[in-house]
Amino acid sequence: MNIKPASLAIALSLALACGMAGCAPASDDVSVQDAATSFREEKIDLPDEAYQVLDLRVTDAGRLFVATGDRESGRVSVLALGDDGVLTETFNTDDLRKTLDVELSYGRACLTAQGQLVCGYRTASGEDEAFYLVDGDSFSALPLAVPAEAFGLRWAEDGTVLAVGNTSVSCMDAGRGDELSSVALPGDTYVSDAAAREGTVYVSTTTSSGTLVKAGLAAFDAATGEPQALEPTLQKGLEQALPAGDATGGGSSALLACSEDSLFLCASGSVFRCASDGVECLLDGVGTHLESGSDHPERLLVDADGDLYVLYRHSDGTALHTLYRYVEGERPDVEKKLVVYALEDNSLVRQAVATFRDGHPDVAVEMEVGIPDGSGTSADDALRALNADLLAGTGPDVLVLDGLPIDQLSEQGMLRDLSGQVNAATAGETYCENVLRAFETDAGCFAVPLRFSIPAIVGDANVLAHADTLDGLVSYLDADDETRALLSSSVSLQALYCASSGVIADETGEVDADALATFYDGTRRLLEMAEDNLPEQADPAYDYVEDRFARFGDGTDSLGSAAYFLLFDDTRIALGSIEGETDFAYVGLTMEHAGFPCAYAPLSFDGSPVFQPRAIVGVSANSDAAATAETFVAYLLERTQQMQGQDSGLPVCVAAFEGRTRLANGGYTVSAGTAPGSTNAVEYGRGPFTAEEIQSCIDLMQSVDIACTDDKVVTDAVVAGLQTYCRDEATLEQAVETVVQKINLYRAQ
């Protein structure tokens, strides 16, 4: 399956997403040393017109050069970093473009060791691509023939060029244009990055098998393409440094850079130096932009002085990239400290923490997670510890309230009134105030949502007429074989739970046992029907039901993903959450091309338009840095910040939503191969959003007014009970009784 905005048609195989773990522990006789050198982080500002960074290089003279491209014209500028820390243009490709009337092949450009530009251009008539060497006001043709699938070029120190593709790496002589070697990776293995040193090409890879993604490293002879074995000690060290092979979804990978005696990689939110004697964690990314959950490292560069440069890619705002330098030396002392707490890791808030530091260098911002991944800490224990800290006045300054008992915290006076920040935001921009003020009372506004999602249903209009209640929907679909076949495997437990929340419990949180039983029985029946309708080519070992539970709350079962199933798998109805503007786009594609009367609507089983707030923030009433914490909340509500986090929840800022819809100015496509292994694809496309479509989306966003906000202890109990019932580990009555008792006991504490 391939679903993408058409304006970002140059795919980078898999996202270069580094996780947030610290330096890995050592094993056997190979050590992964702790960071021995301190680095301070410096942001290098790119010009406003620099939409995309094509390459960066520290030249033989020790100066940083950056090749950038604008958004529309195909103009490339080569910038040099001055002693004042400012990038200034040294030359551009205007003369080349005017002389030859050519169009840039974006991404297929690199800088030489002397700061010259190698770039590929096509003529306006679409003839074969030609490559040129541009140096100041002069340019000359190069005899390079770069493979069509290459998404990027790398200039090696010996004058060869690496052409990096999704599944291959080619090594070419820049002067003669000869292909010295070419390596094609097998099966489901993809190239993430490549670097060359002393006749060896190192390739960072990701290998996928179902939802399992494993990062790796391979080495090849640059002259022949023959595989080379990594030194045993280096291999063992790399196994510690690279992300573990249990990632799901987009996958994890490593970025590469080389020096005379070392291989450097950026992985697991840190930078490692790898040599034959082991691996050193050179830079622990804690407290740096490497913690960002939205800006993913795309390139790593190391200069002769040991300074590190990391280029980050994001898909938000007017530019694709940001650039940071890490210089040896102690991090400067700061005047203020701000602690941001989240019960579970939150990539949106982590990204905001990282970028907030840029504009507030006098503030040390730390993020604490109550339930770190793999810790085994229960939600109940984490909440007890947080409550004790808040009562003692030693707690965090900013609280990410997702999963926390918001009403209880506000009633106990543990949260500050943020009405001033909300009113200031709405005075300058239009917001979905139905969501933004969802927790506002006569006493004030103590919790502020930054994002939200809407449970929804898409597909056969006849089925939607029966979706007012869960029992009604299930009864209609489960009537016979023909109706059961209508349900696709795109069924989101999160959407079903959110749509049922108003029925399961009342405003005081009291659980209705009969309603909970209806939810359990109806959800299980839907999952069983959906599993029966899995595509024939599905992996026999795939556990569909467990996968649905694993996806609960992570946003991957969005309504937009249903487009694939309704267009290519002959099913007619799907359930998911509207998480972002692409969900609206792909739902529109489905309605246009599905081939049957198709519609979509918000999903609610009690008649109330429901939504799920995301990234809800509050400020501790006992914070010693209350003013700074409120400044951080105001920052989170700004339009530019609200545009971050594509498809991780709808922004509460309407202008930010409008801005995001306009980024995909090439429209959207969804495609699938006609048969397993086929290179031919069936593709459906649509153009960018019209003004009327944008307004229709906004109208829907502003129509929902009931928030689904169970705290994590309650949600975990409900989901655990559903799992035991679906696994036949408990009868329906036993599962319901156990959950009701557990929730009542928790509420009584």
Side-chain angles (χ1 to χ4, degrees):
M1 179 178 75
N2 184 16
I3 301 177
K4 63 181 184 296
S7 63
L8 300 179
I10 301 173
L12 298 183
S13 65
L14 295 175
L16 302 179
C18 286
M20 293 300 118
C23 299
S27 67
D28 300 333
D29 58 344
V30 178
S31 64
V32 179
Q33 305 169 26
D34 291 336
T37 306
S38 296
F39 285 82
R40 65 177 185 272
E41 181 180 65
E42 301 173 351
K43 184 179 181 182
I44 299 176
D45 291 324
L46 298 168
D48 292 340
E49 62 273 16
Y51 170 68
Q52 182 177 16
V53 173
L54 304 173
D55 196 19
L56 60 156
R57 159 80 58 176
V58 174
T59 65
D60 292 340
R63 194 178 186 189
L64 176 69
F65 279 68
V66 180
T68 67
D70 64 15
R71 189 180 181 93
E72 300 294 342
S73 71
R75 181 181 196 265
V76 178
S77 297
V78 176
L79 317 174
L81 187 67
D83 294 337
D84 57 359
V86 176
L87 287 170
T88 304
E89 181 177 286
T90 59
F91 63 91
N92 58 56
T93 59
D94 284 351
D95 287 345
L96 171 64
R97 294 169 56 237
K98 291 176 182 177
T99 302
L100 301 178
D101 187 23
V102 291
E103 298 178 354
L104 176 68
S105 301
Y106 258 125
R108 297 159 69 85
C110 64
L111 292 166
T112 73
Q114 293 75 41
Q116 302 160 310
L117 175 70
V118 175
C119 57
Y121 276 91
R122 296 183 184 276
T123 63
S125 60
E127 294 176 2
D128 291 343
E129 182 181 39
F131 280 82
Y132 301 88
L133 179 68
V134 186
D135 187 5
D137 295 332
S138 64
F139 61 87
S140 57
L142 290 175
L144 287 177
V146 178
E149 79 145 4
F151 60 76
L153 302 180
R154 308 283 189 269
W155 183 275
E157 296 301 331
D158 60 0
T160 58
V161 174
L162 299 182
V164 183
N166 290 331
T167 59
S168 67
V169 177
S170 298
C171 185
M172 298 172 292
D173 184 285
R176 299 192 308 269
D178 299 341
E179 182 178 271
L180 304 177
S181 63
S182 181
V183 174
L185 299 182
D188 294 326
T189 300
Y190 299 89
V191 177
S192 298
D193 200 6
R197 179 173 67 89
E198 295 183 343
T200 299
V201 177
Y202 296 93
V203 181
S204 169
T205 65
T206 51
T207 302
S208 61
S209 176
T211 58
L212 179 68
V213 178
K214 182 176 178 59
L217 183 69
F220 303 91
D221 186 280
T224 66
E226 291 296 317
Q228 292 186 341
L230 297 173
E231 296 182 32
T233 52
L234 181 58
Q235 179 64 52
K236 289 183 179 180
L238 287 168
E239 290 171 359
Q240 300 298 317
L242 286 171
D246 59 357
T248 58
S252 298
S253 56
L255 303 181
L256 304 179
C258 289
S259 68
E260 291 185 359
D261 60 356
S262 301
L263 176 68
F264 297 83
L265 62 89
C266 178
S268 303
S270 299
V271 177
F272 300 86
R273 184 181 67 83
C274 309
S276 58
D277 59 348
V279 176
E280 175 188 5
C281 180
L282 194 64
L283 170 63
D284 186 334
V286 174
T288 73
H289 205 77
L290 284 165
E291 285 191 306
S292 171
S294 298
D295 289 359
H296 303 305
E298 182 173 281
R299 290 291 301 276
L300 174 67
L301 182 66
V302 182
D303 69 16
D305 295 328
D307 292 346
L308 312 174
Y309 299 83
V310 179
L311 179 70
Y312 297 85
R313 181 186 180 90
H314 53 87
S315 56
D316 309 304
T318 58
L320 283 181
H321 294 109
T322 53
L323 178 61
Y324 286 80
R325 175 172 58 185
Y326 300 87
V327 181
E328 289 189 24
E330 296 294 331
R331 298 178 185 178
D333 294 333
V334 293
E335 302 174 5
K336 306 172 186 177
K337 181 179 179 180
L338 190 70
V339 178
V340 180
Y341 175 95
L343 190 62
E344 297 179 290
D345 204 358
N346 186 299
S347 62
L348 280 168
V349 177
R350 191 175 286 280
Q351 183 272 341
V353 165
T355 54
F356 183 77
R357 297 188 188 107
D358 295 337
H360 301 81
D362 60 330
V363 181
V365 191
E366 298 179 2
M367 188 164 177
E368 294 181 355
V369 178
I371 308 176
D373 289 343
S375 66
T377 303
S378 70
D380 203 1
D381 288 343
L383 288 173
R384 290 176 186 274
L386 173 64
N387 195 54
D389 287 343
L390 291 172
L391 289 172
T394 58
D397 304 294
V398 177
L399 296 167
V400 181
L401 295 164
D402 300 52
L404 300 183
I406 298 174
D407 291 341
Q408 178 183 334
L409 290 172
S410 62
E411 290 169 2
Q412 293 175 347
M414 292 187 179
L415 300 175
R416 291 178 66 87
D417 183 9
L418 298 174
S419 298
Q421 284 65 44
V422 171
N423 292 336
T426 56
E429 295 279 7
T430 301
Y431 285 77
C432 294
E433 297 196 39
N434 51 314
V435 177
L436 183 67
R437 299 182 184 273
F439 301 100
E440 190 173 54
T441 66
D442 292 340
C445 188
F446 300 98
V448 180
L450 306 177
R451 301 285 193 283
F452 65 105
S453 62
I454 303 172
I457 182 170
V458 61
D460 192 319
N462 295 323
V463 180
L464 265 66
H466 299 272
D468 291 340
T469 65
L470 178 59
D471 186 60
L473 175 63
V474 175
S475 296
Y476 178 83
L477 290 172
D478 205 16
D480 53 47
D481 290 345
E482 184 176 347
T483 54
R484 282 190 287 272
L486 300 178
L487 183 63
S488 85
S489 56
S490 184
V491 173
S492 166
L493 291 181
Q494 182 69 45
L496 286 172
Y497 179 67
C498 188
S500 303
S501 59
V503 178
I504 294 173
D506 60 23
E507 293 182 356
T508 67
E510 186 73 23
V511 177
D512 184 322
D514 291 337
L516 184 61
T518 299
F519 171 66
Y520 278 4
D521 181 61
T523 300
R524 174 170 172 163
R525 290 166 66 189
L526 285 176
L527 292 178
E528 289 172 347
M529 284 185 275
E531 185 174 23
D532 288 341
N533 294 334
L534 282 172
E536 293 181 1
Q537 65 269 28
D539 187 344
Y542 173 58
D543 191 328
Y544 171 78
V545 174
E546 287 306 302
D547 180 58
R548 295 303 98 181
F549 281 102
R551 292 172 182 265
F552 184 88
D554 68 2
T556 58
D557 278 337
S558 67
L559 195 66
S561 65
Y564 175 81
F565 299 97
L566 300 189
L567 290 172
F568 301 108
D569 279 356
D570 297 326
T571 53
R572 297 169 72 102
I573 201 75
L575 308 170
S577 294
I578 299 174
E579 303 279 348
E581 72 283 350
T582 56
D583 288 319
F584 285 115
Y586 293 128
V587 164
L589 271 174
T590 302
M591 294 170 64
E592 181 179 355
H593 298 289
F596 52 85
C598 193
Y600 81 102
L603 190 67
S604 175
F605 297 132
D606 70 350
S608 302
V610 65
F611 67 93
Q612 182 169 28
R614 298 278 186 86
I616 312 163
V617 292
V619 173
S620 170
N622 295 324
S623 171
D624 292 331
T628 304
E630 290 174 351
T631 299
F632 180 68
V633 172
Y635 171 75
L636 294 172
L637 290 173
E638 291 176 1
R639 177 181 180 274
T640 301
Q641 183 60 34
Q642 283 275 300
M643 287 185 68
Q644 308 299 314
Q646 180 181 13
D647 297 327
S648 54
L650 296 159
V652 293
C653 177
V654 171
F657 176 79
E658 291 176 314
R660 286 223 50 87
T661 61
R662 294 191 177 100
L663 286 180
N665 56 11
Y668 297 82
T669 61
V670 55
S671 62
T674 57
S678 171
T679 58
N680 297 319
V682 177
E683 182 173 280
Y684 299 100
R686 57 149 295 160
F689 283 84
T690 65
E692 292 76 15
E693 287 175 321
I694 294 174
Q695 188 57 54
S696 176
C697 297
I698 294 171
D699 290 344
L700 175 61
M701 292 162 58
Q702 293 180 327
S703 70
V704 294
D705 56 12
I706 303 298
C708 170
T709 56
D710 280 342
D711 66 50
K712 184 170 173 57
V713 173
V714 173
T715 302
D716 284 355
V718 172
V719 174
L722 178 60
Q723 276 188 293
T724 62
Y725 176 53
C726 290
R727 290 170 174 166
D728 287 325
E729 296 172 357
T731 66
L732 179 60
E733 293 75 14
Q734 291 170 337
V736 170
E737 182 180 1
T738 299
V739 172
V740 171
Q741 289 179 350
K742 185 181 296 185
I743 293 175
N744 287 341
L745 180 62
Y746 167 67
R747 297 285 194 197
Q749 294 176 356

PDB file of all heavy atoms in Angstrom, residues 31 80 127 168 184 194 311 315 321 330 333 335 378 381 407 514 541 544 553 587 599 611 646 677 696:
ATOM      1  N   SER A  31      32.466  -2.594  24.658  1.00  0.00           N
ATOM      2  CA  SER A  31      31.809  -1.576  25.474  1.00  0.00           C
ATOM      3  C   SER A  31      31.199  -0.497  24.601  1.00  0.00           C
ATOM      4  O   SER A  31      31.707  -0.163  23.550  1.00  0.00           O
ATOM      5  CB  SER A  31      32.808  -0.940  26.440  1.00  0.00           C
ATOM      6  OG  SER A  31      33.814  -0.244  25.712  1.00  0.00           O
ATOM      7  N   ALA A  80      27.488  29.621   2.505  1.00  0.00           N
ATOM      8  CA  ALA A  80      28.654  29.343   3.334  1.00  0.00           C
ATOM      9  C   ALA A  80      28.439  29.974   4.698  1.00  0.00           C
ATOM     10  O   ALA A  80      27.882  31.077   4.815  1.00  0.00           O
ATOM     11  CB  ALA A  80      29.923  29.893   2.691  1.00  0.00           C
ATOM     12  N   GLU A 127      13.392  15.790 -21.371  1.00  0.00           N
ATOM     13  CA  GLU A 127      14.395  14.878 -21.902  1.00  0.00           C
ATOM     14  C   GLU A 127      15.250  14.317 -20.769  1.00  0.00           C
ATOM     15  O   GLU A 127      15.121  14.704 -19.613  1.00  0.00           O
ATOM     16  CB  GLU A 127      15.265  15.613 -22.927  1.00  0.00           C
ATOM     17  CG  GLU A 127      14.506  16.048 -24.177  1.00  0.00           C
ATOM     18  CD  GLU A 127      15.391  16.848 -25.114  1.00  0.00           C
ATOM     19  OE1 GLU A 127      16.583  17.011 -24.796  1.00  0.00           O
ATOM     20  OE2 GLU A 127      14.880  17.306 -26.146  1.00  0.00           O
ATOM     21  N   SER A 168      19.023   0.415  -3.373  1.00  0.00           N
ATOM     22  CA  SER A 168      20.329   0.205  -3.986  1.00  0.00           C
ATOM     23  C   SER A 168      21.243   1.389  -3.721  1.00  0.00           C
ATOM     24  O   SER A 168      20.782   2.498  -3.423  1.00  0.00           O
ATOM     25  CB  SER A 168      20.190  -0.002  -5.503  1.00  0.00           C
ATOM     26  OG  SER A 168      19.738   1.191  -6.117  1.00  0.00           O
ATOM     27  N   ALA A 184      22.463  -3.961  -4.919  1.00  0.00           N
ATOM     28  CA  ALA A 184      21.005  -4.041  -4.776  1.00  0.00           C
ATOM     29  C   ALA A 184      20.693  -4.856  -3.527  1.00  0.00           C
ATOM     30  O   ALA A 184      21.187  -5.981  -3.370  1.00  0.00           O
ATOM     31  CB  ALA A 184      20.385  -4.690  -6.007  1.00  0.00           C
ATOM     32  N   ALA A 194      23.991   6.196   3.395  1.00  0.00           N
ATOM     33  CA  ALA A 194      25.222   5.557   2.945  1.00  0.00           C
ATOM     34  C   ALA A 194      26.384   6.530   3.111  1.00  0.00           C
ATOM     35  O   ALA A 194      26.211   7.754   3.035  1.00  0.00           O
ATOM     36  CB  ALA A 194      25.111   5.115   1.483  1.00  0.00           C
ATOM     37  N   LEU A 311      21.128  17.488  10.284  1.00  0.00           N
ATOM     38  CA  LEU A 311      20.052  18.099   9.503  1.00  0.00           C
ATOM     39  C   LEU A 311      18.767  17.344   9.819  1.00  0.00           C
ATOM     40  O   LEU A 311      18.714  16.123   9.727  1.00  0.00           O
ATOM     41  CB  LEU A 311      20.366  17.994   8.012  1.00  0.00           C
ATOM     42  CG  LEU A 311      19.309  18.564   7.049  1.00  0.00           C
ATOM     43  CD1 LEU A 311      19.280  20.085   7.139  1.00  0.00           C
ATOM     44  CD2 LEU A 311      19.599  18.121   5.622  1.00  0.00           C
ATOM     45  N   SER A 315       7.786  17.909   8.038  1.00  0.00           N
ATOM     46  CA  SER A 315       6.844  18.150   6.947  1.00  0.00           C
ATOM     47  C   SER A 315       5.864  19.242   7.313  1.00  0.00           C
ATOM     48  O   SER A 315       4.761  19.302   6.786  1.00  0.00           O
ATOM     49  CB  SER A 315       6.070  16.862   6.625  1.00  0.00           C
ATOM     50  OG  SER A 315       5.422  16.383   7.778  1.00  0.00           O
ATOM     51  N   HIS A 321      13.431  21.603   6.336  1.00  0.00           N
ATOM     52  CA  HIS A 321      14.587  21.248   7.144  1.00  0.00           C
ATOM     53  C   HIS A 321      14.939  22.302   8.191  1.00  0.00           C
ATOM     54  O   HIS A 321      14.654  23.485   8.020  1.00  0.00           O
ATOM     55  CB  HIS A 321      15.818  21.035   6.243  1.00  0.00           C
ATOM     56  CG  HIS A 321      15.707  19.868   5.329  1.00  0.00           C
ATOM     57  ND1 HIS A 321      15.550  19.999   3.964  1.00  0.00           N
ATOM     58  CD2 HIS A 321      15.708  18.533   5.576  1.00  0.00           C
ATOM     59  CE1 HIS A 321      15.477  18.796   3.416  1.00  0.00           C
ATOM     60  NE2 HIS A 321      15.565  17.904   4.371  1.00  0.00           N
ATOM     61  N   GLU A 330      31.234  22.688  27.284  1.00  0.00           N
ATOM     62  CA  GLU A 330      30.158  22.541  28.250  1.00  0.00           C
ATOM     63  C   GLU A 330      28.921  23.313  27.803  1.00  0.00           C
ATOM     64  O   GLU A 330      29.029  24.393  27.219  1.00  0.00           O
ATOM     65  CB  GLU A 330      30.614  23.044  29.630  1.00  0.00           C
ATOM     66  CG  GLU A 330      31.753  22.243  30.245  1.00  0.00           C
ATOM     67  CD  GLU A 330      31.342  20.818  30.572  1.00  0.00           C
ATOM     68  OE1 GLU A 330      30.139  20.610  30.846  1.00  0.00           O
ATOM     69  OE2 GLU A 330      32.195  19.929  30.543  1.00  0.00           O
ATOM     70  N   ASP A 333      25.358  27.521  31.388  1.00  0.00           N
ATOM     71  CA  ASP A 333      24.422  27.574  32.506  1.00  0.00           C
ATOM     72  C   ASP A 333      23.205  28.400  32.104  1.00  0.00           C
ATOM     73  O   ASP A 333      23.298  29.346  31.322  1.00  0.00           O
ATOM     74  CB  ASP A 333      25.086  28.204  33.737  1.00  0.00           C
ATOM     75  CG  ASP A 333      26.212  27.338  34.299  1.00  0.00           C
ATOM     76  OD1 ASP A 333      26.147  26.098  34.107  1.00  0.00           O
ATOM     77  OD2 ASP A 333      27.139  27.890  34.909  1.00  0.00           O
ATOM     78  N   GLU A 335      19.447  30.359  33.392  1.00  0.00           N
ATOM     79  CA  GLU A 335      18.878  31.058  34.536  1.00  0.00           C
ATOM     80  C   GLU A 335      17.625  30.387  35.068  1.00  0.00           C
ATOM     81  O   GLU A 335      17.311  30.492  36.249  1.00  0.00           O
ATOM     82  CB  GLU A 335      18.547  32.505  34.126  1.00  0.00           C
ATOM     83  CG  GLU A 335      19.744  33.294  33.614  1.00  0.00           C
ATOM     84  CD  GLU A 335      19.332  34.650  33.080  1.00  0.00           C
ATOM     85  OE1 GLU A 335      18.137  34.988  33.211  1.00  0.00           O
ATOM     86  OE2 GLU A 335      20.194  35.360  32.541  1.00  0.00           O
ATOM     87  N   SER A 378       2.976   0.759  36.467  1.00  0.00           N
ATOM     88  CA  SER A 378       1.542   0.812  36.228  1.00  0.00           C
ATOM     89  C   SER A 378       1.070   2.256  36.247  1.00  0.00           C
ATOM     90  O   SER A 378       1.702   3.140  36.845  1.00  0.00           O
ATOM     91  CB  SER A 378       0.788   0.016  37.290  1.00  0.00           C
ATOM     92  OG  SER A 378       0.855   0.668  38.548  1.00  0.00           O
ATOM     93  N   ASP A 381       0.432   3.396  39.870  1.00  0.00           N
ATOM     94  CA  ASP A 381       1.653   3.765  40.607  1.00  0.00           C
ATOM     95  C   ASP A 381       2.195   5.106  40.134  1.00  0.00           C
ATOM     96  O   ASP A 381       2.646   5.926  40.948  1.00  0.00           O
ATOM     97  CB  ASP A 381       2.719   2.681  40.430  1.00  0.00           C
ATOM     98  CG  ASP A 381       2.381   1.402  41.191  1.00  0.00           C
ATOM     99  OD1 ASP A 381       1.514   1.459  42.093  1.00  0.00           O
ATOM    100  OD2 ASP A 381       2.968   0.349  40.875  1.00  0.00           O
ATOM    101  N   ASP A 407     -10.353  16.416  36.130  1.00  0.00           N
ATOM    102  CA  ASP A 407     -11.332  17.021  37.021  1.00  0.00           C
ATOM    103  C   ASP A 407     -10.843  17.009  38.467  1.00  0.00           C
ATOM    104  O   ASP A 407     -10.992  17.989  39.204  1.00  0.00           O
ATOM    105  CB  ASP A 407     -12.672  16.287  36.909  1.00  0.00           C
ATOM    106  CG  ASP A 407     -13.338  16.509  35.560  1.00  0.00           C
ATOM    107  OD1 ASP A 407     -12.967  17.486  34.870  1.00  0.00           O
ATOM    108  OD2 ASP A 407     -14.209  15.710  35.188  1.00  0.00           O
ATOM    109  N   ASP A 514     -24.412  -2.737  32.049  1.00  0.00           N
ATOM    110  CA  ASP A 514     -25.096  -3.221  30.843  1.00  0.00           C
ATOM    111  C   ASP A 514     -24.509  -2.578  29.586  1.00  0.00           C
ATOM    112  O   ASP A 514     -24.322  -3.249  28.554  1.00  0.00           O
ATOM    113  CB  ASP A 514     -26.595  -2.923  30.934  1.00  0.00           C
ATOM    114  CG  ASP A 514     -27.290  -3.764  32.000  1.00  0.00           C
ATOM    115  OD1 ASP A 514     -26.756  -4.841  32.338  1.00  0.00           O
ATOM    116  OD2 ASP A 514     -28.341  -3.323  32.497  1.00  0.00           O
ATOM    117  N   ALA A 541       0.539 -15.922   9.989  1.00  0.00           N
ATOM    118  CA  ALA A 541       0.954 -15.761  11.382  1.00  0.00           C
ATOM    119  C   ALA A 541       0.464 -14.448  11.991  1.00  0.00           C
ATOM    120  O   ALA A 541       0.643 -14.204  13.183  1.00  0.00           O
ATOM    121  CB  ALA A 541       2.482 -15.828  11.477  1.00  0.00           C
ATOM    122  N   TYR A 544      -4.557 -10.636  14.003  1.00  0.00           N
ATOM    123  CA  TYR A 544      -5.294  -9.399  13.744  1.00  0.00           C
ATOM    124  C   TYR A 544      -5.810  -8.762  15.029  1.00  0.00           C
ATOM    125  O   TYR A 544      -5.657  -7.558  15.247  1.00  0.00           O
ATOM    126  CB  TYR A 544      -6.459  -9.684  12.796  1.00  0.00           C
ATOM    127  CG  TYR A 544      -7.404  -8.512  12.641  1.00  0.00           C
ATOM    128  CD1 TYR A 544      -7.073  -7.436  11.835  1.00  0.00           C
ATOM    129  CD2 TYR A 544      -8.615  -8.480  13.320  1.00  0.00           C
ATOM    130  CE1 TYR A 544      -7.934  -6.343  11.702  1.00  0.00           C
ATOM    131  CE2 TYR A 544      -9.478  -7.404  13.195  1.00  0.00           C
ATOM    132  CZ  TYR A 544      -9.132  -6.339  12.388  1.00  0.00           C
ATOM    133  OH  TYR A 544      -9.977  -5.265  12.276  1.00  0.00           O
ATOM    134  N   GLY A 553      -4.959   3.710  20.552  1.00  0.00           N
ATOM    135  CA  GLY A 553      -4.499   5.017  21.005  1.00  0.00           C
ATOM    136  C   GLY A 553      -3.288   5.575  20.304  1.00  0.00           C
ATOM    137  O   GLY A 553      -2.863   6.689  20.614  1.00  0.00           O
ATOM    138  N   VAL A 587     -10.507  10.172   2.635  1.00  0.00           N
ATOM    139  CA  VAL A 587     -11.941   9.892   2.677  1.00  0.00           C
ATOM    140  C   VAL A 587     -12.606  10.442   1.420  1.00  0.00           C
ATOM    141  O   VAL A 587     -13.470   9.797   0.807  1.00  0.00           O
ATOM    142  CB  VAL A 587     -12.572  10.492   3.950  1.00  0.00           C
ATOM    143  CG1 VAL A 587     -14.088  10.545   3.824  1.00  0.00           C
ATOM    144  CG2 VAL A 587     -12.189   9.667   5.166  1.00  0.00           C
ATOM    145  N   ALA A 599     -20.342   7.606   1.820  1.00  0.00           N
ATOM    146  CA  ALA A 599     -20.430   8.796   2.662  1.00  0.00           C
ATOM    147  C   ALA A 599     -19.562   8.580   3.891  1.00  0.00           C
ATOM    148  O   ALA A 599     -19.031   7.487   4.116  1.00  0.00           O
ATOM    149  CB  ALA A 599     -21.881   9.055   3.068  1.00  0.00           C
ATOM    150  N   PHE A 611     -15.505  13.947  20.638  1.00  0.00           N
ATOM    151  CA  PHE A 611     -14.128  14.050  20.166  1.00  0.00           C
ATOM    152  C   PHE A 611     -13.207  13.600  21.285  1.00  0.00           C
ATOM    153  O   PHE A 611     -13.607  13.533  22.453  1.00  0.00           O
ATOM    154  CB  PHE A 611     -13.784  15.479  19.741  1.00  0.00           C
ATOM    155  CG  PHE A 611     -13.766  16.470  20.872  1.00  0.00           C
ATOM    156  CD1 PHE A 611     -12.588  16.769  21.548  1.00  0.00           C
ATOM    157  CD2 PHE A 611     -14.933  17.116  21.277  1.00  0.00           C
ATOM    158  CE1 PHE A 611     -12.568  17.675  22.594  1.00  0.00           C
ATOM    159  CE2 PHE A 611     -14.927  18.024  22.315  1.00  0.00           C
ATOM    160  CZ  PHE A 611     -13.736  18.312  22.983  1.00  0.00           C
ATOM    161  N   GLN A 646       2.013  16.379  11.719  1.00  0.00           N
ATOM    162  CA  GLN A 646       1.057  15.961  10.704  1.00  0.00           C
ATOM    163  C   GLN A 646       0.373  14.658  11.106  1.00  0.00           C
ATOM    164  O   GLN A 646       1.003  13.694  11.513  1.00  0.00           O
ATOM    165  CB  GLN A 646       1.760  15.774   9.368  1.00  0.00           C
ATOM    166  CG  GLN A 646       0.850  15.347   8.234  1.00  0.00           C
ATOM    167  CD  GLN A 646       1.605  15.141   6.937  1.00  0.00           C
ATOM    168  OE1 GLN A 646       2.823  15.092   6.936  1.00  0.00           O
ATOM    169  NE2 GLN A 646       0.893  15.020   5.843  1.00  0.00           N
ATOM    170  N   GLY A 677       3.902  -8.731  -5.926  1.00  0.00           N
ATOM    171  CA  GLY A 677       5.113  -8.667  -6.712  1.00  0.00           C
ATOM    172  C   GLY A 677       4.997  -7.906  -8.010  1.00  0.00           C
ATOM    173  O   GLY A 677       5.969  -7.754  -8.747  1.00  0.00           O
ATOM    174  N   SER A 696     -15.593  22.994   4.818  1.00  0.00           N
ATOM    175  CA  SER A 696     -16.411  21.863   5.240  1.00  0.00           C
ATOM    176  C   SER A 696     -15.729  21.072   6.350  1.00  0.00           C
ATOM    177  O   SER A 696     -16.379  20.651   7.321  1.00  0.00           O
ATOM    178  CB  SER A 696     -16.690  20.949   4.036  1.00  0.00           C
ATOM    179  OG  SER A 696     -17.402  19.798   4.428  1.00  0.00           O
TER     180      SER A 696
END
